[in-house]
Amino acid sequence: MATVTAAAVAIPSFTGLKAGATPAKVSATAKVAASPVPRVSIKASLKDFGVAVAATAASAILASNALAIEVKLGGDDGSLAFVPNEFSVSAGDKIVFKNNAGFPHNVVFDEDEIPSGVDASKISMSEEDLLNGPGETYAVTLTEKGSYSFYCSPHQGAGMVGKVTVN
């Protein structure tokens, strides 16, 4: 607890100011209570700081690679199309196909138009599997470089086809 002790304070009088007048002296005592302030100390070593920075950087790198591209299934105008229908990604990037309009849709990779050694059944939805609602997604990660042609089995005859190049 803090205490203010008596002190002499000179207060000039503004009434009847006269040259040579001596100021009145006033004495006062006041007690002020103050609660103790908690001290906060932060201790972090340079090593801890470095670990936090490295973890943040790694998270940012992973997040940036988590979604290479989003492909709409059905155009905003209701067209039966992949939007975009031709695009490129880096090997290992994720491609998310998102149901937009004109559904149901699916994504099937043409086994005759993908790099040799790639199993189309492992990267495709089955022809019977369909995305029926808006916003439903199918994600695939392509690791082999080359060109991949794909289509929507219910709408292939209407021209709903696409191509991705993996660099």
Side-chain angles (χ1 to χ4, degrees):
M1 180 158 110
T3 304
V4 176
T5 58
V9 178
I11 301 176
S13 172
F14 293 105
T15 56
L17 290 175
K18 295 181 185 167
T22 59
K25 300 222 181 221
V26 176
S27 180
T29 302
K31 289 189 178 183
V32 178
S35 60
V37 177
R39 293 184 176 212
V40 178
S41 82
I42 299 173
K43 293 183 180 180
S45 69
L46 189 54
K47 178 182 173 187
D48 293 337
F49 179 74
V51 168
V53 168
T56 302
S59 295
I61 290 168
L62 290 173
S64 69
N65 288 333
L67 179 65
I69 189 167
E70 181 178 276
V71 179
K72 291 182 181 179
L73 300 174
D76 288 335
D77 59 359
S79 61
L80 297 174
F82 291 97
V83 181
N85 66 343
E86 288 195 28
F87 56 93
S88 296
V89 295
S90 296
D93 283 350
K94 183 190 275 187
I95 304 165
V96 177
F97 294 91
K98 185 175 182 181
N99 222 4
N100 185 47
F103 33 84
H105 297 296
N106 65 3
V107 179
V108 179
F109 285 87
D110 187 333
E111 64 185 15
D112 296 326
E113 295 186 39
I114 58 176
S116 66
V118 175
D119 184 352
S121 67
K122 291 187 178 179
I123 58 174
S124 300
M125 296 176 71
S126 77
E127 295 211 18
E128 296 79 34
D129 245 355
L130 298 171
L131 301 174
N132 289 305
E136 290 183 344
T137 61
Y138 172 71
V140 65
T141 302
L142 304 174
T143 56
E144 296 296 320
K145 293 181 180 184
S147 293
Y148 295 72
S149 292
F150 54 90
Y151 59 89
C152 169
S153 59
H155 303 117
Q156 182 180 16
M160 191 168 175
V161 297
K163 185 176 187 176
V164 58
T165 302
V166 179
N167 300 312

